[in-house]
Amino acid sequence: EVLDITDEQLESKFQLGISNVAAASLEMGFCTQASVPHSIINDFKNVLAVAVETDISFPQADTVKAFLTDPSAFAVAAAFAEAEAVEETKEEVIEESEEEETDDDMGCSLFD
């Protein structure tokens, strides 16, 4: 049991590496598989900004335009989303406290 690595630890390190590759690729303007989704979203934000300022219309732009004209109409959705986020945070705190109790290696890890 020299390498006592769980699948979750391995997955988190792999995801960290992927996010570093994506960040470096985006900064350099170099297209990689890790950066393509971010590039698409960033470009969509630009298209949406142009659509909001002009007469261009498509469903997502119409939703944003409606929000910009009357933000109070979306207040109910924001309150619901905030309540869900608070509930998820409570669940995560409970899970973390349970995980801390079962820490067999006394907080030491090969990759920490």
Side-chain angles (χ1 to χ4, degrees):
E1 295 185 29
V2 174
L3 294 177
D4 191 21
I5 301 172
T6 64
D7 290 341
E8 291 82 22
Q9 290 172 330
L10 189 61
E11 182 180 345
S12 70
K13 296 300 178 184
F14 184 74
Q15 287 177 345
L16 180 64
I18 293 291
S19 66
N20 287 338
V21 168
S25 299
L26 287 170
E27 187 63 31
M28 292 185 298
F30 187 74
C31 187
T32 62
Q33 279 185 319
S35 68
V36 166
H38 301 284
S39 297
I40 291 172
I41 292 298
N42 290 337
D43 291 339
F44 180 73
K45 289 177 188 177
N46 292 336
V47 168
L48 194 58
V50 169
V52 166
E53 292 295 323
T54 61
D55 293 333
I56 297 173
S57 179
F58 54 94
Q60 293 85 357
D62 294 339
T63 304
V64 171
K65 288 178 183 179
F67 176 77
L68 292 174
T69 57
D70 185 21
S72 64
F74 294 87
V76 174
F80 181 72
E82 183 177 330
E84 283 184 349
V86 168
E87 188 67 32
E88 289 177 8
T89 304
K90 288 180 183 177
E91 291 174 3
E92 289 175 4
V93 168
I94 291 171
E95 289 175 4
E96 287 177 6
S97 65
E98 290 174 357
E99 288 176 4
E100 290 175 1
E101 294 172 359
T102 61
D103 195 12
D104 294 334
D105 60 354
M106 298 191 310
C108 299
S109 174
L110 181 64
F111 295 109
D112 285 342

